[in-house]
Amino acid sequence: MAATYMHIGIPITNKKPGMVYNEGAKFWVSNVDGYDYKIEYLKFEEGTPFPEVLHRNPHVAYKVDDLEKYVADADSVICGPMMDNETDRLAFVWKDGAILELYQEG
């Protein structure tokens, strides 16, 4: 198994300039490369399918080579696995007291 750091996701209550809206999932997101330290700011809107725990807690995202193995190794699954686009998949899990986003390219 191999995991590579991607970003830290921080939920916020006020939009930052340049955030993009994801209409299907009802949340605003910043460009990770627009901030030092690879920060992804997230503002969730009412009706988003993402669980409340993600609205209130930061997460650390990793690109993984085998999503199923990492999900199986987690303490519990928050949501997913799900498709991010036509080929990539992701899941949010609890591992060692932290929320992790696991992302596998297709």
Side-chain angles (χ1 to χ4, degrees), residues 3-102:
T4 304
Y5 174 80
M6 290 177 61
H7 65 264
I8 183 167
I10 301 175
I12 58 175
T13 56
N14 295 311
K15 286 189 324 185
K16 291 188 172 285
M19 292 181 87
V20 175
Y21 189 61
N22 181 316
E23 183 141 359
K26 298 186 178 178
F27 71 93
W28 293 88
V29 63
S30 66
N31 180 345
V32 171
D33 294 323
Y35 297 92
D36 289 340
Y37 309 111
K38 299 286 190 178
I39 296 173
E40 175 186 74
Y41 292 102
L42 300 153
K43 182 184 181 308
F44 295 96
E45 298 289 339
E46 187 174 329
T48 183
F50 287 99
E52 188 73 22
V53 68
L54 298 177
H55 303 200
R56 310 225 179 281
N57 296 285
H59 69 269
V60 180
Y62 290 93
K63 183 176 166 183
V64 298
D65 60 345
D66 189 336
L67 185 64
E68 282 76 22
K69 285 186 181 179
Y70 279 90
V71 168
D73 185 53
D75 298 331
S76 64
V77 176
I78 297 169
C79 63
M82 66 187 93
M83 298 302 290
D84 183 44
N85 53 43
E86 292 182 15
T87 59
D88 303 339
R89 299 180 312 130
L90 64 96
F92 288 89
V93 301
W94 282 105
K95 178 66 176 173
D96 297 331
I99 296 174
L100 303 181
E101 175 185 347
L102 305 173

